[in-house]
Amino acid sequence: MNSKDLQRVHQFCEERPAFTEPSIRWLIHNSHTNGLADAKAVVRIGAAVYLHVSRFDAWLEEQGAA
């Protein structure tokens, strides 16, 4: 795993204004039912939560294809 591919929620949302922090936090909260956990796009290190950007992008493309 490349640490450059990990972003905190606020960093992710700053780079991608189409996503709001509440919407990303909702996706993370429901990651076990929406497939983000299976895609390994959510990385927890202690209390910190990161998004694995390339895995999130792959998951997002899957959602559009479904």
Side-chain angles (χ1 to χ4, degrees):
M1 179 182 328
N2 185 349
S3 64
K4 292 180 184 177
D5 209 22
L6 295 178
Q7 290 184 334
R8 299 290 299 259
V9 172
H10 70 275
Q11 294 170 316
F12 181 87
C13 294
E14 282 177 3
E15 287 189 12
R16 298 162 182 236
F19 296 99
T20 64
E21 283 194 43
S23 68
I24 294 298
R25 292 189 189 286
W26 186 89
L27 288 171
I28 291 169
H29 180 73
N30 293 286
S31 63
H32 291 286
T33 57
N34 63 23
L36 270 178
D38 293 336
K40 297 182 176 154
V42 179
V43 178
R44 290 179 169 87
I45 302 173
V49 178
Y50 299 87
L51 286 174
H52 190 284
V53 177
S54 60
R55 291 177 185 167
F56 181 89
D57 289 342
W59 172 83
L60 189 59
E61 286 203 26
E62 271 184 30
Q63 304 313 299

CSV table of all heavy atoms in Angstrom, one decimal:
chain,number,residue,atom,x,y,z
A,1,MET,N,0.8,-1.2,0.0
A,1,MET,CA,0.0,0.0,0.0
A,1,MET,C,0.9,1.2,0.0
A,1,MET,O,1.8,1.3,0.8
A,1,MET,CB,-0.9,0.0,1.2
A,1,MET,CG,-1.8,1.2,1.3
A,1,MET,SD,-2.9,1.3,2.8
A,1,MET,CE,-3.3,-0.3,3.2
A,2,ASN,N,0.6,2.1,-0.9
A,2,ASN,CA,1.4,3.4,-1.0
A,2,ASN,C,0.7,4.4,-0.1
A,2,ASN,O,-0.5,4.8,-0.3
A,2,ASN,CB,1.4,3.8,-2.4
A,2,ASN,CG,2.3,5.0,-2.7
A,2,ASN,OD1,2.7,5.7,-1.7
A,2,ASN,ND2,2.5,5.3,-3.9
A,3,SER,N,1.5,5.0,0.8
A,3,SER,CA,0.9,6.0,1.7
A,3,SER,C,0.4,7.3,1.0
A,3,SER,O,-0.4,8.0,1.5
A,3,SER,CB,1.9,6.3,2.9
A,3,SER,OG,3.0,7.0,2.3
A,4,LYS,N,1.0,7.5,-0.2
A,4,LYS,CA,0.5,8.7,-1.0
A,4,LYS,C,-0.9,8.5,-1.5
A,4,LYS,O,-1.5,9.5,-1.8
A,4,LYS,CB,1.5,8.9,-2.2
A,4,LYS,CG,2.9,9.3,-1.8
A,4,LYS,CD,3.7,9.5,-3.0
A,4,LYS,CE,5.1,9.9,-2.6
A,4,LYS,NZ,6.0,10.0,-3.7
A,5,ASP,N,-1.4,7.3,-1.4
A,5,ASP,CA,-2.7,7.0,-1.9
A,5,ASP,C,-3.8,7.1,-0.8
A,5,ASP,O,-4.9,6.9,-1.0
A,5,ASP,CB,-2.8,5.6,-2.5
A,5,ASP,CG,-3.8,5.4,-3.6
A,5,ASP,OD1,-4.2,6.5,-4.2
A,5,ASP,OD2,-4.2,4.3,-3.9
A,6,LEU,N,-3.3,7.4,0.4
A,6,LEU,CA,-4.2,7.5,1.6
A,6,LEU,C,-4.5,9.0,1.8
A,6,LEU,O,-3.6,9.8,1.8
A,6,LEU,CB,-3.6,6.9,2.8
A,6,LEU,CG,-3.4,5.4,2.8
A,6,LEU,CD1,-2.7,5.0,4.1
A,6,LEU,CD2,-4.6,4.7,2.6
A,7,GLN,N,-5.8,9.3,2.0
A,7,GLN,CA,-6.2,10.7,2.4
A,7,GLN,C,-7.2,10.6,3.5
A,7,GLN,O,-8.1,9.8,3.5
A,7,GLN,CB,-6.8,11.4,1.2
A,7,GLN,CG,-5.8,11.7,0.1
A,7,GLN,CD,-6.5,12.5,-1.1
A,7,GLN,OE1,-7.6,12.4,-1.3
A,7,GLN,NE2,-5.6,13.2,-1.8
A,8,ARG,N,-7.1,11.6,4.4
A,8,ARG,CA,-8.1,11.8,5.4
A,8,ARG,C,-9.4,12.3,4.6
A,8,ARG,O,-9.3,12.8,3.5
A,8,ARG,CB,-7.7,12.8,6.4
A,8,ARG,CG,-6.4,12.4,7.2
A,8,ARG,CD,-6.7,11.3,8.2
A,8,ARG,NE,-7.7,11.6,9.2
A,8,ARG,CZ,-7.5,11.9,10.4
A,8,ARG,NH1,-6.2,12.1,10.9
A,8,ARG,NH2,-8.5,12.1,11.3
A,9,VAL,N,-10.5,12.3,5.3
A,9,VAL,CA,-11.8,12.6,4.7
A,9,VAL,C,-11.7,14.1,4.2
A,9,VAL,O,-12.1,14.4,3.1
A,9,VAL,CB,-13.0,12.4,5.6
A,9,VAL,CG1,-14.2,13.0,5.0
A,9,VAL,CG2,-13.1,10.9,5.9
A,10,HIS,N,-11.2,15.0,5.0
A,10,HIS,CA,-11.2,16.4,4.6
A,10,HIS,C,-10.3,16.7,3.4
A,10,HIS,O,-10.6,17.5,2.6
A,10,HIS,CB,-10.9,17.3,5.8
A,10,HIS,CG,-9.5,17.2,6.3
A,10,HIS,ND1,-9.0,16.3,7.2
A,10,HIS,CD2,-8.4,18.0,5.9
A,10,HIS,CE1,-7.7,16.4,7.4
A,10,HIS,NE2,-7.3,17.5,6.6
A,11,GLN,N,-9.2,15.9,3.4
A,11,GLN,CA,-8.3,16.1,2.2
A,11,GLN,C,-8.9,15.6,1.0
A,11,GLN,O,-8.8,16.2,-0.1
A,11,GLN,CB,-7.0,15.3,2.5
A,11,GLN,CG,-6.1,15.8,3.6
A,11,GLN,CD,-5.0,14.8,3.9
A,11,GLN,OE1,-5.2,13.6,4.0
A,11,GLN,NE2,-3.8,15.3,4.1
A,12,PHE,N,-9.6,14.4,1.1
A,12,PHE,CA,-10.3,13.8,-0.1
A,12,PHE,C,-11.3,14.8,-0.6
A,12,PHE,O,-11.4,15.0,-1.8
A,12,PHE,CB,-10.9,12.5,0.4
A,12,PHE,CG,-11.6,11.8,-0.7
A,12,PHE,CD1,-11.0,10.9,-1.6
A,12,PHE,CD2,-13.0,12.0,-0.9
A,12,PHE,CE1,-11.6,10.3,-2.6
A,12,PHE,CE2,-13.7,11.3,-1.9
A,12,PHE,CZ,-13.0,10.4,-2.8
A,13,CYS,N,-12.1,15.4,0.3
A,13,CYS,CA,-13.2,16.3,-0.1
A,13,CYS,C,-12.7,17.6,-0.7
A,13,CYS,O,-13.3,18.2,-1.5
A,13,CYS,CB,-14.2,16.5,1.0
A,13,CYS,SG,-15.1,15.0,1.5
A,14,GLU,N,-11.6,18.1,-0.2
A,14,GLU,CA,-11.0,19.3,-0.7
A,14,GLU,C,-10.5,19.1,-2.2
A,14,GLU,O,-10.7,20.0,-3.0
A,14,GLU,CB,-9.7,19.7,0.1
A,14,GLU,CG,-10.1,20.4,1.4
A,14,GLU,CD,-8.8,20.7,2.2
A,14,GLU,OE1,-7.7,20.5,1.7
A,14,GLU,OE2,-9.0,21.2,3.3
A,15,GLU,N,-10.0,18.0,-2.5
A,15,GLU,CA,-9.6,17.7,-3.9
A,15,GLU,C,-10.8,17.3,-4.8
A,15,GLU,O,-10.6,17.4,-6.0
A,15,GLU,CB,-8.6,16.5,-3.9
A,15,GLU,CG,-7.2,17.0,-3.4
A,15,GLU,CD,-6.2,15.9,-3.6
A,15,GLU,OE1,-6.4,14.9,-4.3
A,15,GLU,OE2,-5.1,16.0,-3.0
A,16,ARG,N,-11.8,16.9,-4.2
A,16,ARG,CA,-13.0,16.4,-5.0
A,16,ARG,C,-14.3,17.1,-4.4
A,16,ARG,O,-15.0,16.5,-3.7
A,16,ARG,CB,-13.1,14.9,-4.9
A,16,ARG,CG,-12.0,14.2,-5.5
A,16,ARG,CD,-11.9,12.8,-5.0
A,16,ARG,NE,-10.7,12.1,-5.5
A,16,ARG,CZ,-10.8,11.0,-6.2
A,16,ARG,NH1,-11.9,10.4,-6.5
A,16,ARG,NH2,-9.7,10.4,-6.7
A,17,PRO,N,-14.5,18.3,-4.8
A,17,PRO,CA,-15.6,19.1,-4.3
A,17,PRO,C,-17.0,18.5,-4.6
A,17,PRO,O,-18.0,18.9,-4.0
A,17,PRO,CB,-15.5,20.5,-4.9
A,17,PRO,CG,-14.6,20.3,-6.0
A,17,PRO,CD,-13.7,19.1,-5.8
A,18,ALA,N,-17.1,17.5,-5.5
A,18,ALA,CA,-18.4,16.9,-5.7
A,18,ALA,C,-18.8,16.0,-4.5
A,18,ALA,O,-20.0,15.7,-4.4
A,18,ALA,CB,-18.3,16.0,-7.0
A,19,PHE,N,-17.9,15.7,-3.6
A,19,PHE,CA,-18.2,14.9,-2.5
A,19,PHE,C,-18.1,15.8,-1.2
A,19,PHE,O,-17.1,16.5,-1.0
A,19,PHE,CB,-17.2,13.8,-2.3
A,19,PHE,CG,-17.2,12.7,-3.4
A,19,PHE,CD1,-16.3,12.8,-4.4
A,19,PHE,CD2,-18.2,11.8,-3.4
A,19,PHE,CE1,-16.4,11.8,-5.4
A,19,PHE,CE2,-18.3,10.8,-4.4
A,19,PHE,CZ,-17.3,10.9,-5.4
A,20,THR,N,-19.1,15.8,-0.4
A,20,THR,CA,-19.1,16.5,0.8
A,20,THR,C,-18.6,15.6,2.0
A,20,THR,O,-18.7,14.4,1.9
A,20,THR,CB,-20.5,17.0,1.2
A,20,THR,OG1,-21.4,15.9,1.5
A,20,THR,CG2,-21.1,17.9,0.1
A,21,GLU,N,-18.1,16.2,3.0
A,21,GLU,CA,-17.6,15.4,4.1
A,21,GLU,C,-18.7,14.5,4.7
A,21,GLU,O,-18.5,13.4,5.0
A,21,GLU,CB,-17.0,16.3,5.2
A,21,GLU,CG,-15.6,16.7,4.8
A,21,GLU,CD,-14.8,17.3,6.0
A,21,GLU,OE1,-14.8,16.8,7.1
A,21,GLU,OE2,-14.1,18.3,5.7
A,22,PRO,N,-19.9,15.1,4.9
A,22,PRO,CA,-21.0,14.2,5.5
A,22,PRO,C,-21.3,13.0,4.6
A,22,PRO,O,-21.6,11.9,5.1
A,22,PRO,CB,-22.2,15.2,5.6
A,22,PRO,CG,-21.6,16.5,5.8
A,22,PRO,CD,-20.4,16.5,4.9
A,23,SER,N,-21.3,13.2,3.3
A,23,SER,CA,-21.6,12.1,2.4
A,23,SER,C,-20.5,11.0,2.4
A,23,SER,O,-20.8,9.8,2.4
A,23,SER,CB,-21.8,12.6,0.9
A,23,SER,OG,-20.6,13.1,0.4
A,24,ILE,N,-19.3,11.4,2.5
A,24,ILE,CA,-18.2,10.5,2.6
A,24,ILE,C,-18.2,9.8,3.9
A,24,ILE,O,-18.0,8.5,4.0
A,24,ILE,CB,-16.8,11.1,2.3
A,24,ILE,CG1,-16.7,11.6,0.9
A,24,ILE,CG2,-15.7,10.2,2.7
A,24,ILE,CD1,-16.8,10.5,-0.2
A,25,ARG,N,-18.5,10.5,5.0
A,25,ARG,CA,-18.6,9.9,6.3
A,25,ARG,C,-19.7,8.9,6.4
A,25,ARG,O,-19.6,7.8,7.0
A,25,ARG,CB,-18.7,10.9,7.4
A,25,ARG,CG,-17.4,11.7,7.5
A,25,ARG,CD,-17.4,12.6,8.7
A,25,ARG,NE,-16.2,13.5,8.7
A,25,ARG,CZ,-15.0,13.2,8.9
A,25,ARG,NH1,-14.7,11.9,9.2
A,25,ARG,NH2,-14.0,14.1,8.9
A,26,TRP,N,-20.8,9.2,5.7
A,26,TRP,CA,-22.0,8.3,5.6
A,26,TRP,C,-21.6,7.0,4.9
A,26,TRP,O,-21.9,5.9,5.3
A,26,TRP,CB,-23.2,8.9,4.9
A,26,TRP,CG,-24.4,8.1,5.0
A,26,TRP,CD1,-25.3,8.1,5.9
A,26,TRP,CD2,-24.8,7.1,4.0
A,26,TRP,NE1,-26.3,7.1,5.6
A,26,TRP,CE2,-26.0,6.5,4.4
A,26,TRP,CE3,-24.2,6.7,2.8
A,26,TRP,CZ2,-26.7,5.6,3.7
A,26,TRP,CZ3,-24.9,5.7,2.0
A,26,TRP,CH2,-26.1,5.2,2.5
A,27,LEU,N,-20.8,7.2,3.8
A,27,LEU,CA,-20.3,6.0,3.0
A,27,LEU,C,-19.4,5.1,3.9
A,27,LEU,O,-19.5,3.9,3.9
A,27,LEU,CB,-19.6,6.4,1.7
A,27,LEU,CG,-20.5,7.0,0.6
A,27,LEU,CD1,-19.6,7.6,-0.5
A,27,LEU,CD2,-21.4,5.9,0.1
A,28,ILE,N,-18.5,5.8,4.6
A,28,ILE,CA,-17.6,5.1,5.5
A,28,ILE,C,-18.4,4.3,6.6
A,28,ILE,O,-18.1,3.2,6.9
A,28,ILE,CB,-16.6,6.0,6.1
A,28,ILE,CG1,-15.6,6.5,5.0
A,28,ILE,CG2,-15.8,5.4,7.2
A,28,ILE,CD1,-14.7,7.6,5.4
A,29,HIS,N,-19.3,5.0,7.2
A,29,HIS,CA,-20.1,4.4,8.3
A,29,HIS,C,-20.9,3.2,7.8
A,29,HIS,O,-21.0,2.2,8.5
A,29,HIS,CB,-21.1,5.4,8.8
A,29,HIS,CG,-22.0,4.9,9.9
A,29,HIS,ND1,-21.5,4.7,11.2
A,29,HIS,CD2,-23.3,4.5,9.9
A,29,HIS,CE1,-22.5,4.2,11.9
A,29,HIS,NE2,-23.6,4.1,11.2
A,30,ASN,N,-21.3,3.2,6.5
A,30,ASN,CA,-22.0,2.1,5.9
A,30,ASN,C,-21.2,1.2,5.0
A,30,ASN,O,-21.7,0.5,4.2
A,30,ASN,CB,-23.2,2.6,5.2
A,30,ASN,CG,-24.2,3.2,6.1
A,30,ASN,OD1,-25.0,2.6,6.8
A,30,ASN,ND2,-24.3,4.6,6.1
A,31,SER,N,-19.9,1.2,5.3
A,31,SER,CA,-18.9,0.6,4.3
A,31,SER,C,-19.1,-1.0,4.3
A,31,SER,O,-18.8,-1.6,3.3
A,31,SER,CB,-17.5,0.9,4.7
A,31,SER,OG,-17.2,0.4,6.0
A,32,HIS,N,-19.7,-1.6,5.3
A,32,HIS,CA,-19.9,-3.0,5.3
A,32,HIS,C,-21.1,-3.4,4.5
A,32,HIS,O,-21.2,-4.6,4.1
A,32,HIS,CB,-19.9,-3.6,6.7
A,32,HIS,CG,-18.6,-3.5,7.4
A,32,HIS,ND1,-17.5,-4.3,7.1
A,32,HIS,CD2,-18.1,-2.6,8.4
A,32,HIS,CE1,-16.5,-4.0,7.9
A,32,HIS,NE2,-16.8,-3.0,8.6
A,33,THR,N,-22.0,-2.5,4.2
A,33,THR,CA,-23.1,-2.8,3.4
A,33,THR,C,-23.1,-2.3,2.0
A,33,THR,O,-23.8,-2.8,1.1
A,33,THR,CB,-24.4,-2.3,4.1
A,33,THR,OG1,-24.3,-0.9,4.3
A,33,THR,CG2,-24.7,-3.0,5.4
A,34,ASN,N,-22.2,-1.3,1.8
A,34,ASN,CA,-22.2,-0.7,0.4
A,34,ASN,C,-21.0,-1.2,-0.4
A,34,ASN,O,-20.8,-0.8,-1.5
A,34,ASN,CB,-22.2,0.8,0.5
A,34,ASN,CG,-21.0,1.4,1.2
A,34,ASN,OD1,-19.9,0.8,1.3
A,34,ASN,ND2,-21.1,2.6,1.7
A,35,GLY,N,-20.1,-2.0,0.2
A,35,GLY,CA,-19.0,-2.6,-0.6
A,35,GLY,C,-17.7,-1.9,-0.4
A,35,GLY,O,-16.7,-2.5,-0.8
A,36,LEU,N,-17.6,-0.8,0.3
A,36,LEU,CA,-16.4,-0.1,0.5
A,36,LEU,C,-15.4,-0.9,1.3
A,36,LEU,O,-14.2,-0.9,1.1
A,36,LEU,CB,-16.6,1.3,1.1
A,36,LEU,CG,-16.8,2.5,0.2
A,36,LEU,CD1,-17.0,3.7,1.0
A,36,LEU,CD2,-15.7,2.7,-0.7
A,37,ALA,N,-15.9,-1.6,2.3
A,37,ALA,CA,-15.1,-2.5,3.1
A,37,ALA,C,-14.5,-3.6,2.3
A,37,ALA,O,-13.3,-3.9,2.4
A,37,ALA,CB,-15.9,-3.0,4.3
A,38,ASP,N,-15.3,-4.2,1.5
A,38,ASP,CA,-14.9,-5.3,0.6
A,38,ASP,C,-13.8,-4.8,-0.4
A,38,ASP,O,-12.9,-5.6,-0.7
A,38,ASP,CB,-16.0,-6.0,-0.1
A,38,ASP,CG,-17.0,-6.7,0.8
A,38,ASP,OD1,-16.6,-7.1,1.9
A,38,ASP,OD2,-18.2,-6.8,0.4
A,39,ALA,N,-13.9,-3.6,-0.8
A,39,ALA,CA,-13.0,-3.0,-1.7
A,39,ALA,C,-11.7,-2.6,-1.0
A,39,ALA,O,-10.8,-2.2,-1.7
A,39,ALA,CB,-13.6,-1.8,-2.5
A,40,LYS,N,-11.7,-2.6,0.3
A,40,LYS,CA,-10.6,-2.2,1.1
A,40,LYS,C,-10.2,-0.8,0.9
A,40,LYS,O,-9.1,-0.4,0.8
A,40,LYS,CB,-9.4,-3.1,0.9
A,40,LYS,CG,-9.7,-4.5,1.4
A,40,LYS,CD,-8.5,-5.4,1.2
A,40,LYS,CE,-9.0,-6.8,1.8
A,40,LYS,NZ,-8.4,-7.9,1.3
A,41,ALA,N,-11.3,0.1,0.7
A,41,ALA,CA,-11.1,1.5,0.4
A,41,ALA,C,-11.0,2.3,1.7
A,41,ALA,O,-10.6,3.5,1.6
A,41,ALA,CB,-12.2,2.0,-0.5
A,42,VAL,N,-11.4,1.7,2.8
A,42,VAL,CA,-11.4,2.4,4.1
A,42,VAL,C,-10.3,1.8,4.9
A,42,VAL,O,-10.2,0.6,5.1
A,42,VAL,CB,-12.7,2.3,4.8
A,42,VAL,CG1,-12.7,3.0,6.1
A,42,VAL,CG2,-13.9,2.9,3.9
A,43,VAL,N,-9.4,2.7,5.4
A,43,VAL,CA,-8.2,2.2,6.2
A,43,VAL,C,-8.3,2.9,7.5
A,43,VAL,O,-8.3,4.2,7.6
A,43,VAL,CB,-6.9,2.6,5.5
A,43,VAL,CG1,-5.7,2.1,6.3
A,43,VAL,CG2,-6.8,1.9,4.1
A,44,ARG,N,-8.3,2.1,8.6
A,44,ARG,CA,-8.4,2.7,9.9
A,44,ARG,C,-7.0,2.4,10.6
A,44,ARG,O,-6.6,1.3,10.6
A,44,ARG,CB,-9.5,2.1,10.7
A,44,ARG,CG,-10.9,2.5,10.2
A,44,ARG,CD,-12.0,1.9,11.0
A,44,ARG,NE,-13.3,2.5,10.7
A,44,ARG,CZ,-14.1,2.1,9.8
A,44,ARG,NH1,-13.7,1.1,9.0
A,44,ARG,NH2,-15.2,2.7,9.6
A,45,ILE,N,-6.4,3.5,11.1
A,45,ILE,CA,-5.2,3.4,11.9
A,45,ILE,C,-5.4,4.1,13.2
A,45,ILE,O,-5.5,5.3,13.2
A,45,ILE,CB,-4.0,4.0,11.1
A,45,ILE,CG1,-3.8,3.4,9.7
A,45,ILE,CG2,-2.7,4.0,11.9
A,45,ILE,CD1,-2.8,4.0,8.8
A,46,GLY,N,-5.6,3.3,14.2
A,46,GLY,CA,-6.0,3.9,15.5
A,46,GLY,C,-7.4,4.5,15.3
A,46,GLY,O,-8.3,3.9,14.8
A,47,ALA,N,-7.5,5.8,15.8
A,47,ALA,CA,-8.8,6.5,15.6
A,47,ALA,C,-8.9,7.2,14.3
A,47,ALA,O,-10.0,7.7,13.9
A,47,ALA,CB,-8.9,7.5,16.8
A,48,ALA,N,-7.8,7.2,13.5
A,48,ALA,CA,-7.8,8.0,12.2
A,48,ALA,C,-8.4,7.1,11.1
A,48,ALA,O,-8.2,5.9,11.1
A,48,ALA,CB,-6.4,8.4,11.8
A,49,VAL,N,-9.2,7.7,10.3
A,49,VAL,CA,-9.8,7.0,9.2
A,49,VAL,C,-9.3,7.6,7.9
A,49,VAL,O,-9.3,8.9,7.7
A,49,VAL,CB,-11.4,7.1,9.2
A,49,VAL,CG1,-12.0,6.4,8.0
A,49,VAL,CG2,-11.9,6.5,10.5
A,50,TYR,N,-8.8,6.8,7.0
A,50,TYR,CA,-8.3,7.2,5.7
A,50,TYR,C,-9.1,6.6,4.6
A,50,TYR,O,-9.6,5.5,4.7
A,50,TYR,CB,-6.8,6.8,5.6
A,50,TYR,CG,-5.9,7.4,6.6
A,50,TYR,CD1,-5.7,6.8,7.8
A,50,TYR,CD2,-5.3,8.6,6.3
A,50,TYR,CE1,-4.9,7.4,8.8
A,50,TYR,CE2,-4.4,9.2,7.3
A,50,TYR,CZ,-4.3,8.6,8.5
A,50,TYR,OH,-3.5,9.1,9.4
A,51,LEU,N,-9.1,7.2,3.4
A,51,LEU,CA,-9.6,6.6,2.2
A,51,LEU,C,-8.4,6.2,1.3
A,51,LEU,O,-7.5,7.0,1.1
A,51,LEU,CB,-10.5,7.6,1.4
A,51,LEU,CG,-11.9,7.8,2.0
A,51,LEU,CD1,-12.6,8.9,1.2
A,51,LEU,CD2,-12.7,6.5,2.0
A,52,HIS,N,-8.4,5.0,0.8
A,52,HIS,CA,-7.5,4.6,-0.2
A,52,HIS,C,-8.0,5.0,-1.5
A,52,HIS,O,-9.0,4.5,-2.0
A,52,HIS,CB,-7.3,3.1,-0.1
A,52,HIS,CG,-6.1,2.6,-0.9
A,52,HIS,ND1,-6.2,2.5,-2.2
A,52,HIS,CD2,-4.9,2.2,-0.5
A,52,HIS,CE1,-5.0,2.0,-2.7
A,52,HIS,NE2,-4.2,1.8,-1.6
A,53,VAL,N,-7.4,6.1,-2.1
A,53,VAL,CA,-8.0,6.8,-3.2
A,53,VAL,C,-8.2,5.9,-4.4
A,53,VAL,O,-9.3,5.9,-5.0
A,53,VAL,CB,-7.2,8.1,-3.5
A,53,VAL,CG1,-7.8,8.8,-4.8
A,53,VAL,CG2,-7.2,9.0,-2.4
A,54,SER,N,-7.2,5.2,-4.8
A,54,SER,CA,-7.4,4.4,-6.1
A,54,SER,C,-8.4,3.2,-5.9
A,54,SER,O,-9.2,2.9,-6.8
A,54,SER,CB,-6.0,3.8,-6.5
A,54,SER,OG,-5.5,3.0,-5.5
A,55,ARG,N,-8.5,2.7,-4.6
A,55,ARG,CA,-9.5,1.7,-4.4
A,55,ARG,C,-10.9,2.3,-4.3
A,55,ARG,O,-11.9,1.7,-4.8
A,55,ARG,CB,-9.2,0.9,-3.1
A,55,ARG,CG,-8.0,0.1,-3.2
A,55,ARG,CD,-7.6,-0.6,-1.9
A,55,ARG,NE,-6.4,-1.3,-2.0
A,55,ARG,CZ,-5.7,-1.8,-0.9
A,55,ARG,NH1,-6.2,-1.6,0.3
A,55,ARG,NH2,-4.6,-2.4,-1.1
A,56,PHE,N,-11.0,3.5,-3.8
A,56,PHE,CA,-12.3,4.2,-3.8
A,56,PHE,C,-12.7,4.5,-5.2
A,56,PHE,O,-13.9,4.3,-5.6
A,56,PHE,CB,-12.2,5.5,-3.0
A,56,PHE,CG,-13.5,6.3,-2.9
A,56,PHE,CD1,-14.4,6.0,-1.9
A,56,PHE,CD2,-13.8,7.2,-3.9
A,56,PHE,CE1,-15.6,6.7,-1.9
A,56,PHE,CE2,-15.1,7.9,-3.9
A,56,PHE,CZ,-15.9,7.6,-2.8
A,57,ASP,N,-11.8,4.9,-6.1
A,57,ASP,CA,-12.1,5.2,-7.5
A,57,ASP,C,-12.6,3.9,-8.2
A,57,ASP,O,-13.6,4.0,-8.9
A,57,ASP,CB,-10.9,5.8,-8.2
A,57,ASP,CG,-10.6,7.2,-7.8
A,57,ASP,OD1,-11.5,7.9,-7.2
A,57,ASP,OD2,-9.5,7.7,-8.0
A,58,ALA,N,-12.0,2.8,-7.9
A,58,ALA,CA,-12.4,1.5,-8.5
A,58,ALA,C,-13.8,1.2,-8.0
A,58,ALA,O,-14.6,0.7,-8.8
A,58,ALA,CB,-11.4,0.5,-8.2
A,59,TRP,N,-14.0,1.3,-6.7
A,59,TRP,CA,-15.3,1.0,-6.2
A,59,TRP,C,-16.4,1.9,-6.8
A,59,TRP,O,-17.5,1.5,-7.2
A,59,TRP,CB,-15.3,1.2,-4.7
A,59,TRP,CG,-16.7,1.1,-4.0
A,59,TRP,CD1,-17.3,0.0,-3.7
A,59,TRP,CD2,-17.5,2.2,-3.7
A,59,TRP,NE1,-18.5,0.3,-3.1
A,59,TRP,CE2,-18.7,1.6,-3.1
A,59,TRP,CE3,-17.5,3.6,-3.8
A,59,TRP,CZ2,-19.8,2.4,-2.7
A,59,TRP,CZ3,-18.5,4.3,-3.4
A,59,TRP,CH2,-19.7,3.8,-2.9
A,60,LEU,N,-16.1,3.2,-7.0
A,60,LEU,CA,-17.0,4.1,-7.5
A,60,LEU,C,-17.3,3.8,-9.0
A,60,LEU,O,-18.5,3.8,-9.4
A,60,LEU,CB,-16.4,5.6,-7.5
A,60,LEU,CG,-17.3,6.7,-7.8
A,60,LEU,CD1,-18.5,6.7,-6.9
A,60,LEU,CD2,-16.6,8.0,-7.8
A,61,GLU,N,-16.4,3.4,-9.7
A,61,GLU,CA,-16.6,2.9,-11.1
A,61,GLU,C,-17.5,1.7,-11.2
A,61,GLU,O,-18.4,1.6,-12.0
A,61,GLU,CB,-15.3,2.7,-11.9
A,61,GLU,CG,-14.6,4.0,-12.2
A,61,GLU,CD,-13.7,3.8,-13.4
A,61,GLU,OE1,-13.8,2.9,-14.2
A,61,GLU,OE2,-12.7,4.6,-13.4
A,62,GLU,N,-17.3,0.8,-10.2
A,62,GLU,CA,-18.2,-0.4,-10.1
A,62,GLU,C,-19.6,0.0,-9.9
A,62,GLU,O,-20.5,-0.6,-10.4
A,62,GLU,CB,-17.8,-1.3,-9.0
A,62,GLU,CG,-16.7,-2.3,-9.3
A,62,GLU,CD,-16.4,-3.2,-8.1
A,62,GLU,OE1,-17.4,-3.4,-7.3
A,62,GLU,OE2,-15.3,-3.7,-8.0
A,63,GLN,N,-19.8,1.0,-9.1
A,63,GLN,CA,-21.2,1.5,-8.8
A,63,GLN,C,-21.9,2.0,-10.0
A,63,GLN,O,-23.1,1.8,-10.2
A,63,GLN,CB,-21.2,2.6,-7.7
A,63,GLN,CG,-20.5,2.2,-6.4
A,63,GLN,CD,-20.9,0.8,-5.9
A,63,GLN,OE1,-22.1,0.6,-5.6
A,63,GLN,NE2,-20.0,-0.1,-5.8
A,64,GLY,N,-21.1,2.7,-10.9
A,64,GLY,CA,-21.7,3.2,-12.1
A,64,GLY,C,-22.0,2.1,-13.1
A,64,GLY,O,-22.9,2.2,-13.9
A,65,ALA,N,-21.2,1.1,-13.0
A,65,ALA,CA,-21.4,-0.1,-14.0
A,65,ALA,C,-22.5,-1.0,-13.6
A,65,ALA,O,-23.1,-1.7,-14.4
A,65,ALA,CB,-20.1,-0.9,-14.1
A,66,ALA,N,-22.9,-0.9,-12.3
A,66,ALA,CA,-23.9,-1.8,-11.8
A,66,ALA,C,-25.3,-1.5,-12.2
A,66,ALA,O,-25.7,-0.6,-12.7
A,66,ALA,CB,-23.9,-1.9,-10.2
